[in-house]
Amino acid sequence: MSAVAVTGMGVVAPNGLGTEAYWKATLAAVSGIGRITRFDPERYPATLAGEVDLDPTDRLPGRLIPQTDHSTRLSLLAAEEAIRDAGIDAGELPDDQVGVVTASSAGGFEFGHRELDKLWRKGPEYVSAYQSFAWFYAVNTGQISIRHGLRGPSGVLVADQAGGLDAIAQARRLVRRGVSAVLTGAVDGSLCPWGWIAQSSGGRLSGAADPALAYRPFDAEADGYVPGEGGAILVLEEADGARARGAERVRGYVLGHAATFDRRPDSAAPDTGRGLRRAVELALDDSGLRPDDIDVVFADAAGTPALDRAEAAALTAVFGDRPVPVSAPKTMTGRMCAGAGPLDVVTALLAIESGQIPSAVHTSPAAHYGLNLIVGRPLTLAARTALIVARGFHGFNSAMVVGAAD
């Protein structure tokens, strides 16, 4: 079966706007987590987040500003960078041969919160007509498609943090079926009072006020995660087709993927990580690789003891006593829902490209997890393959294998 290549990447993250800025900050262990500034968080059980500071008037046409949510504006910027990085001229390709597949967990929550507030305070005549679509889960796919005139097979997936990897997998299927190129990935986040209440209700947010004491996955003192916003958009193409059109470079390959589901959330059975283990094993089978062929793992890194324990159990079951390096760069950005997996894919490809594997910050791995978590400084490693894992609320598991460019 034909190889599916990543030819373009675009990043928006709390510690860097653009791929180069993000990568530089990540290798320097610069965190983008701090006290929320978008609204006053004092009344809420958690006050920290990874925010992306953006003045959209400097980067997007004025007509788009009133009709888009903050997360959609970020996705448009990431898509622009990915297209530019891939060197694709959408006008030179048949418009029905370039698709867009993204993932989302919330849609334009901030836009929706603002318009509902207008409805409550002022009345229906003050609600924006753009509310009809700006809140929707598929809005990022739609706005990217419209802006670049892309009419190929498109869609959106909703599976919380696992959804970003699932979207890339769906894009890979489309390319294998003959679509010339697909923009894929996710930019997600809902850092507004409405979204904050939704995330707080899960009971998994860290209540720490000091960023250095919050979101410490695989740490004995872990007490929850910190939300973030952002993510990444990638361009996927069939490898030979990319070369034929004169692509300047291939950033890497999507080698394998699998998704599984855990038992119902209300099941009495404990989370043992068996579903995640199965996803990893199936992704390895799909890639044609064995556990010994994987050079580095990019962890889901939930930051709560039960979920960390389940992930560690899954990874140690797959890799045995082999101390495969484990990276958790999202400790610098927060968990970005659907945006986290695609950003980990980009980070993995950059790590393979540079030979530098990012470290986690603010965490001291507990020995009982049995993981070789990279902390302190980046690990110099001539990696060729990486495994990325992601888990979503209510039992979603996703695993993806990526590999080096030729």
Side-chain angles (χ1 to χ4, degrees), residues 206-225:
S206 171
D210 182 351
L213 300 177
Y215 193 22
R216 295 176 288 177
F218 308 112
D219 191 304
E221 301 298 323
D223 71 340
Y225 72 91

Side-chain angles (χ1 to χ4, degrees), residues 306-317:
L307 292 172
D308 286 348
R309 188 163 52 246
E311 182 176 11
L315 294 178
T316 53

Side-chain angles (χ1 to χ4, degrees), residues 2-250:
S2 60
V4 175
V6 177
T7 57
M9 305 188 299
V11 168
V12 285
N15 63 342
L17 198 57
T19 303
E20 183 177 350
Y22 163 75
W23 184 236
K24 182 178 179 180
T26 299
L27 286 183
V30 175
S31 174
I33 292 174
R35 185 178 172 84
I36 294 175
T37 62
R38 205 76 55 74
F39 61 93
D40 183 1
E42 193 60 39
R43 297 178 296 162
Y44 301 90
T47 60
L48 298 177
E51 294 179 311
V52 178
D53 185 19
L54 172 71
D55 181 355
T57 59
D58 292 340
R59 296 174 176 264
L60 293 171
R63 64 177 178 79
L64 280 176
I65 307 305
Q67 61 179 280
T68 51
D69 180 77
H70 179 68
S71 64
T72 300
R73 297 166 192 161
L74 295 179
S75 74
L76 289 169
L77 294 181
E80 280 187 3
E81 184 186 15
I83 291 171
R84 187 168 60 248
D85 186 45
I88 286 180
D89 183 347
E92 293 181 356
L93 295 172
D95 59 10
D96 62 351
Q97 279 297 299
V98 183
V100 183
V101 179
T102 67
S104 177
S105 71
F109 250 42
E110 187 174 4
F111 193 104
H113 172 85
R114 186 172 62 246
E115 298 310 313
L116 286 173
D117 185 63
K118 290 179 184 176
L119 175 64
W120 176 259
R121 294 177 185 276
K122 298 180 179 181
E125 65 271 24
Y126 289 91
V127 176
S128 169
Y130 298 122
Q131 166 68 1
S132 60
F133 62 80
W135 70 273
F136 193 49
Y137 297 96
V139 67
N140 292 353
T141 289
Q143 289 286 14
I144 292 170
S145 302
I146 292 168
R147 186 154 196 224
H148 298 283
L150 309 178
R151 297 176 174 83
S154 299
V156 62
L157 290 93
V158 181
D160 190 41
Q161 185 151 289
L165 295 185
D166 294 347
I168 296 173
Q170 174 62 7
R172 177 181 177 231
R173 294 185 194 100
L174 292 173
V175 169
R176 283 179 160 180
R177 293 172 188 167
V179 178
S180 296
V182 182
L183 273 71
T184 187
V187 173
D188 208 357
S190 53
L191 303 185
C192 63
W194 186 17
W196 203 244
I197 284 294
Q199 296 205 57
S200 298
S201 66
R204 297 179 182 177
L205 299 191
S206 171
D210 182 351
L213 300 177
Y215 193 22
R216 295 176 288 177
F218 308 112
D219 191 304
E221 301 298 323
D223 71 340
Y225 72 91
V226 172
E229 62 182 358
I233 299 293
L234 301 86
V235 175
L236 265 56
E237 300 179 71
E238 192 272 328
D240 290 340
R243 296 187 187 97
R245 73 163 177 84
E248 291 186 6
R249 60 178 174 174
V250 166

